Amino acid sequence: QVQLVESGGGLVQAGGSLRLSCKFSGRIFSRYFMGWFRQAPGKERAFVAAINRSGSSTYYADSAKGRFTISRDNAENTVYLQMNSLKPEDTAIYYCNADPMGTVVAGKAGDYWGQGTQVTVSS
């Protein structure tokens, strides 16, 4: 069974940076596409970014382009989300998602979720 554990969230001022991490276990990491989603209070969960199995291709929501970078380390079974130039509207719970099929690159989540990590950006 796939298990995902996020870390790295916190409180940051607008304009600051955070790096989220998601540790994968239970299956062969390199066989999964990985994604990040977020859910703000009162809103639906939304796609942020995704990465293919090798890490050679990345995909972003418009809100993340130019500010966020997704990457992965297949030796460490970990996917990252580097978030720069953070804005108050980036405040949300950020979730890691694992998808063996690849639909996550189009914003459609796979079957496996982490517990989420809170990111709060103050103005």
Side-chain angles (χ1 to χ4, degrees):
Q1 182 72 7
V2 170
Q3 292 187 323
L4 303 170
V5 179
E6 300 99 331
S7 61
L11 174 64
V12 64
Q13 289 189 329
S17 298
L18 282 174
R19 188 176 83 152
L20 307 183
S21 300
C22 172
K23 184 74 171 180
F24 176 106
S25 63
R27 291 290 185 268
I28 299 174
F29 181 58
S30 60
R31 293 183 179 175
Y32 287 76
F33 293 77
M34 298 298 295
W36 287 96
F37 290 73
R38 68 186 183 185
Q39 188 165 18
K43 295 189 177 181
E44 293 187 354
R45 196 170 296 189
F47 172 74
V48 176
I51 191 165
N52 69 348
R53 294 184 179 105
S54 67
S56 61
S57 295
T58 56
Y59 310 84
Y60 297 95
D62 286 345
S63 59
K65 286 177 183 175
R67 299 188 301 127
F68 294 2
T69 302
I70 188 171
S71 62
R72 66 190 294 161
D73 184 338
N74 283 354
E76 295 293 328
N77 291 354
T78 302
V79 62
Y80 303 97
L81 186 68
Q82 177 67 43
M83 304 187 294
N84 298 329
S85 303
L86 283 162
K87 306 174 182 179
E89 51 264 44
D90 295 317
T91 295
I93 300 174
Y94 283 71
Y95 296 92
C96 180
N97 181 261
D99 170 24
M101 304 303 294
T103 59
V104 68
V105 303
K108 185 176 186 298
D111 292 336
Y112 305 102
W113 294 97
Q115 83 287 352
T117 186
Q118 176 71 50
V119 171
T120 303
V121 185
S122 63
S123 58

PDB file of all heavy atoms in Angstrom, residues 40-60:
ATOM      1  N   ALA A  40      -7.793  25.391  -0.097  1.00  0.00           N
ATOM      2  CA  ALA A  40      -7.960  26.577   0.738  1.00  0.00           C
ATOM      3  C   ALA A  40      -9.292  26.484   1.474  1.00  0.00           C
ATOM      4  O   ALA A  40     -10.209  25.777   1.034  1.00  0.00           O
ATOM      5  CB  ALA A  40      -7.911  27.830  -0.125  1.00  0.00           C
ATOM      6  N   PRO A  41      -9.420  27.203   2.574  1.00  0.00           N
ATOM      7  CA  PRO A  41     -10.679  27.148   3.329  1.00  0.00           C
ATOM      8  C   PRO A  41     -11.884  27.517   2.461  1.00  0.00           C
ATOM      9  O   PRO A  41     -11.869  28.530   1.759  1.00  0.00           O
ATOM     10  CB  PRO A  41     -10.460  28.191   4.431  1.00  0.00           C
ATOM     11  CG  PRO A  41      -8.987  28.255   4.602  1.00  0.00           C
ATOM     12  CD  PRO A  41      -8.407  28.041   3.231  1.00  0.00           C
ATOM     13  N   GLY A  42     -12.887  26.670   2.488  1.00  0.00           N
ATOM     14  CA  GLY A  42     -14.101  26.925   1.734  1.00  0.00           C
ATOM     15  C   GLY A  42     -14.018  26.661   0.253  1.00  0.00           C
ATOM     16  O   GLY A  42     -14.965  26.952  -0.486  1.00  0.00           O
ATOM     17  N   LYS A  43     -12.899  26.105  -0.193  1.00  0.00           N
ATOM     18  CA  LYS A  43     -12.726  25.849  -1.627  1.00  0.00           C
ATOM     19  C   LYS A  43     -12.455  24.377  -1.876  1.00  0.00           C
ATOM     20  O   LYS A  43     -12.069  23.631  -0.983  1.00  0.00           O
ATOM     21  CB  LYS A  43     -11.579  26.697  -2.179  1.00  0.00           C
ATOM     22  CG  LYS A  43     -11.844  28.189  -2.123  1.00  0.00           C
ATOM     23  CD  LYS A  43     -10.779  28.968  -2.871  1.00  0.00           C
ATOM     24  CE  LYS A  43     -11.078  30.451  -2.883  1.00  0.00           C
ATOM     25  NZ  LYS A  43     -10.042  31.217  -3.626  1.00  0.00           N
ATOM     26  N   GLU A  44     -12.619  23.972  -3.118  1.00  0.00           N
ATOM     27  CA  GLU A  44     -12.323  22.596  -3.495  1.00  0.00           C
ATOM     28  C   GLU A  44     -10.807  22.400  -3.633  1.00  0.00           C
ATOM     29  O   GLU A  44     -10.062  23.358  -3.868  1.00  0.00           O
ATOM     30  CB  GLU A  44     -13.016  22.266  -4.820  1.00  0.00           C
ATOM     31  CG  GLU A  44     -14.533  22.229  -4.727  1.00  0.00           C
ATOM     32  CD  GLU A  44     -15.168  21.739  -6.007  1.00  0.00           C
ATOM     33  OE1 GLU A  44     -14.446  21.541  -7.000  1.00  0.00           O
ATOM     34  OE2 GLU A  44     -16.398  21.550  -6.017  1.00  0.00           O
ATOM     35  N   ARG A  45     -10.410  21.157  -3.533  1.00  0.00           N
ATOM     36  CA  ARG A  45      -9.003  20.830  -3.722  1.00  0.00           C
ATOM     37  C   ARG A  45      -8.631  21.090  -5.181  1.00  0.00           C
ATOM     38  O   ARG A  45      -9.373  20.725  -6.101  1.00  0.00           O
ATOM     39  CB  ARG A  45      -8.758  19.363  -3.367  1.00  0.00           C
ATOM     40  CG  ARG A  45      -7.312  19.010  -3.154  1.00  0.00           C
ATOM     41  CD  ARG A  45      -7.166  17.610  -2.568  1.00  0.00           C
ATOM     42  NE  ARG A  45      -7.750  17.498  -1.243  1.00  0.00           N
ATOM     43  CZ  ARG A  45      -7.591  16.437  -0.464  1.00  0.00           C
ATOM     44  NH1 ARG A  45      -6.856  15.408  -0.866  1.00  0.00           N
ATOM     45  NH2 ARG A  45      -8.177  16.393   0.714  1.00  0.00           N
ATOM     46  N   ALA A  46      -7.478  21.710  -5.394  1.00  0.00           N
ATOM     47  CA  ALA A  46      -7.085  22.137  -6.730  1.00  0.00           C
ATOM     48  C   ALA A  46      -5.677  21.677  -7.070  1.00  0.00           C
ATOM     49  O   ALA A  46      -4.796  21.640  -6.209  1.00  0.00           O
ATOM     50  CB  ALA A  46      -7.158  23.662  -6.831  1.00  0.00           C
ATOM     51  N   PHE A  47      -5.475  21.368  -8.329  1.00  0.00           N
ATOM     52  CA  PHE A  47      -4.172  20.952  -8.845  1.00  0.00           C
ATOM     53  C   PHE A  47      -3.173  22.093  -8.755  1.00  0.00           C
ATOM     54  O   PHE A  47      -3.490  23.245  -9.056  1.00  0.00           O
ATOM     55  CB  PHE A  47      -4.342  20.511 -10.296  1.00  0.00           C
ATOM     56  CG  PHE A  47      -3.068  20.241 -11.019  1.00  0.00           C
ATOM     57  CD1 PHE A  47      -2.330  19.101 -10.767  1.00  0.00           C
ATOM     58  CD2 PHE A  47      -2.590  21.135 -11.975  1.00  0.00           C
ATOM     59  CE1 PHE A  47      -1.150  18.846 -11.443  1.00  0.00           C
ATOM     60  CE2 PHE A  47      -1.422  20.887 -12.653  1.00  0.00           C
ATOM     61  CZ  PHE A  47      -0.692  19.741 -12.389  1.00  0.00           C
ATOM     62  N   VAL A  48      -1.941  21.756  -8.372  1.00  0.00           N
ATOM     63  CA  VAL A  48      -0.864  22.737  -8.321  1.00  0.00           C
ATOM     64  C   VAL A  48       0.247  22.391  -9.318  1.00  0.00           C
ATOM     65  O   VAL A  48       0.646  23.223 -10.135  1.00  0.00           O
ATOM     66  CB  VAL A  48      -0.264  22.828  -6.904  1.00  0.00           C
ATOM     67  CG1 VAL A  48       0.935  23.776  -6.883  1.00  0.00           C
ATOM     68  CG2 VAL A  48      -1.320  23.263  -5.902  1.00  0.00           C
ATOM     69  N   ALA A  49       0.744  21.157  -9.228  1.00  0.00           N
ATOM     70  CA  ALA A  49       1.874  20.769 -10.073  1.00  0.00           C
ATOM     71  C   ALA A  49       1.969  19.251 -10.136  1.00  0.00           C
ATOM     72  O   ALA A  49       1.463  18.554  -9.247  1.00  0.00           O
ATOM     73  CB  ALA A  49       3.176  21.342  -9.533  1.00  0.00           C
ATOM     74  N   ALA A  50       2.631  18.752 -11.178  1.00  0.00           N
ATOM     75  CA  ALA A  50       2.848  17.312 -11.323  1.00  0.00           C
ATOM     76  C   ALA A  50       4.180  17.063 -12.014  1.00  0.00           C
ATOM     77  O   ALA A  50       4.727  17.967 -12.673  1.00  0.00           O
ATOM     78  CB  ALA A  50       1.712  16.670 -12.105  1.00  0.00           C
ATOM     79  N   ILE A  51       4.668  15.840 -11.878  1.00  0.00           N
ATOM     80  CA  ILE A  51       5.954  15.470 -12.459  1.00  0.00           C
ATOM     81  C   ILE A  51       5.877  14.024 -12.933  1.00  0.00           C
ATOM     82  O   ILE A  51       5.193  13.192 -12.310  1.00  0.00           O
ATOM     83  CB  ILE A  51       7.081  15.678 -11.423  1.00  0.00           C
ATOM     84  CG1 ILE A  51       8.461  15.554 -12.053  1.00  0.00           C
ATOM     85  CG2 ILE A  51       6.918  14.744 -10.220  1.00  0.00           C
ATOM     86  CD1 ILE A  51       9.578  16.096 -11.153  1.00  0.00           C
ATOM     87  N   ASN A  52       6.549  13.736 -14.037  1.00  0.00           N
ATOM     88  CA  ASN A  52       6.487  12.373 -14.563  1.00  0.00           C
ATOM     89  C   ASN A  52       7.428  11.450 -13.773  1.00  0.00           C
ATOM     90  O   ASN A  52       8.089  11.872 -12.829  1.00  0.00           O
ATOM     91  CB  ASN A  52       6.781  12.356 -16.060  1.00  0.00           C
ATOM     92  CG  ASN A  52       8.214  12.693 -16.402  1.00  0.00           C
ATOM     93  OD1 ASN A  52       8.977  13.168 -15.553  1.00  0.00           O
ATOM     94  ND2 ASN A  52       8.586  12.479 -17.646  1.00  0.00           N
ATOM     95  N   ARG A  53       7.466  10.211 -14.192  1.00  0.00           N
ATOM     96  CA  ARG A  53       8.173   9.191 -13.405  1.00  0.00           C
ATOM     97  C   ARG A  53       9.666   9.467 -13.288  1.00  0.00           C
ATOM     98  O   ARG A  53      10.268   9.251 -12.238  1.00  0.00           O
ATOM     99  CB  ARG A  53       7.959   7.813 -14.028  1.00  0.00           C
ATOM    100  CG  ARG A  53       6.525   7.310 -13.985  1.00  0.00           C
ATOM    101  CD  ARG A  53       6.442   5.899 -14.543  1.00  0.00           C
ATOM    102  NE  ARG A  53       5.087   5.354 -14.508  1.00  0.00           N
ATOM    103  CZ  ARG A  53       4.316   5.222 -15.565  1.00  0.00           C
ATOM    104  NH1 ARG A  53       4.755   5.582 -16.764  1.00  0.00           N
ATOM    105  NH2 ARG A  53       3.110   4.712 -15.448  1.00  0.00           N
ATOM    106  N   SER A  54      10.271   9.952 -14.353  1.00  0.00           N
ATOM    107  CA  SER A  54      11.721  10.164 -14.344  1.00  0.00           C
ATOM    108  C   SER A  54      12.110  11.543 -13.830  1.00  0.00           C
ATOM    109  O   SER A  54      13.271  11.780 -13.500  1.00  0.00           O
ATOM    110  CB  SER A  54      12.285   9.981 -15.753  1.00  0.00           C
ATOM    111  OG  SER A  54      11.820  11.016 -16.601  1.00  0.00           O
ATOM    112  N   GLY A  55      11.135  12.441 -13.802  1.00  0.00           N
ATOM    113  CA  GLY A  55      11.432  13.823 -13.415  1.00  0.00           C
ATOM    114  C   GLY A  55      11.787  14.712 -14.586  1.00  0.00           C
ATOM    115  O   GLY A  55      12.118  15.883 -14.397  1.00  0.00           O
ATOM    116  N   SER A  56      11.701  14.193 -15.794  1.00  0.00           N
ATOM    117  CA  SER A  56      12.116  14.952 -16.974  1.00  0.00           C
ATOM    118  C   SER A  56      11.053  15.933 -17.456  1.00  0.00           C
ATOM    119  O   SER A  56      11.372  16.847 -18.228  1.00  0.00           O
ATOM    120  CB  SER A  56      12.471  13.995 -18.118  1.00  0.00           C
ATOM    121  OG  SER A  56      11.342  13.217 -18.480  1.00  0.00           O
ATOM    122  N   SER A  57       9.802  15.732 -17.023  1.00  0.00           N
ATOM    123  CA  SER A  57       8.716  16.625 -17.439  1.00  0.00           C
ATOM    124  C   SER A  57       7.921  17.074 -16.224  1.00  0.00           C
ATOM    125  O   SER A  57       7.618  16.276 -15.345  1.00  0.00           O
ATOM    126  CB  SER A  57       7.782  15.923 -18.426  1.00  0.00           C
ATOM    127  OG  SER A  57       8.455  15.613 -19.631  1.00  0.00           O
ATOM    128  N   THR A  58       7.583  18.358 -16.228  1.00  0.00           N
ATOM    129  CA  THR A  58       6.791  18.925 -15.140  1.00  0.00           C
ATOM    130  C   THR A  58       5.600  19.693 -15.699  1.00  0.00           C
ATOM    131  O   THR A  58       5.629  20.140 -16.861  1.00  0.00           O
ATOM    132  CB  THR A  58       7.646  19.864 -14.275  1.00  0.00           C
ATOM    133  OG1 THR A  58       8.232  20.874 -15.113  1.00  0.00           O
ATOM    134  CG2 THR A  58       8.763  19.102 -13.567  1.00  0.00           C
ATOM    135  N   TYR A  59       4.580  19.848 -14.874  1.00  0.00           N
ATOM    136  CA  TYR A  59       3.315  20.432 -15.291  1.00  0.00           C
ATOM    137  C   TYR A  59       2.818  21.316 -14.147  1.00  0.00           C
ATOM    138  O   TYR A  59       2.924  20.927 -12.977  1.00  0.00           O
ATOM    139  CB  TYR A  59       2.299  19.328 -15.576  1.00  0.00           C
ATOM    140  CG  TYR A  59       2.850  18.248 -16.487  1.00  0.00           C
ATOM    141  CD1 TYR A  59       3.611  17.204 -15.972  1.00  0.00           C
ATOM    142  CD2 TYR A  59       2.619  18.292 -17.856  1.00  0.00           C
ATOM    143  CE1 TYR A  59       4.135  16.231 -16.793  1.00  0.00           C
ATOM    144  CE2 TYR A  59       3.136  17.316 -18.693  1.00  0.00           C
ATOM    145  CZ  TYR A  59       3.896  16.290 -18.155  1.00  0.00           C
ATOM    146  OH  TYR A  59       4.415  15.329 -18.976  1.00  0.00           O
ATOM    147  N   TYR A  60       2.268  22.487 -14.497  1.00  0.00           N
ATOM    148  CA  TYR A  60       1.870  23.438 -13.471  1.00  0.00           C
ATOM    149  C   TYR A  60       0.511  24.055 -13.755  1.00  0.00           C
ATOM    150  O   TYR A  60       0.152  24.302 -14.916  1.00  0.00           O
ATOM    151  CB  TYR A  60       2.891  24.577 -13.379  1.00  0.00           C
ATOM    152  CG  TYR A  60       4.256  24.123 -12.955  1.00  0.00           C
ATOM    153  CD1 TYR A  60       5.235  23.827 -13.889  1.00  0.00           C
ATOM    154  CD2 TYR A  60       4.560  23.983 -11.603  1.00  0.00           C
ATOM    155  CE1 TYR A  60       6.489  23.389 -13.498  1.00  0.00           C
ATOM    156  CE2 TYR A  60       5.817  23.550 -11.203  1.00  0.00           C
ATOM    157  CZ  TYR A  60       6.780  23.251 -12.162  1.00  0.00           C
ATOM    158  OH  TYR A  60       8.017  22.822 -11.766  1.00  0.00           O
TER     159      TYR A  60
END
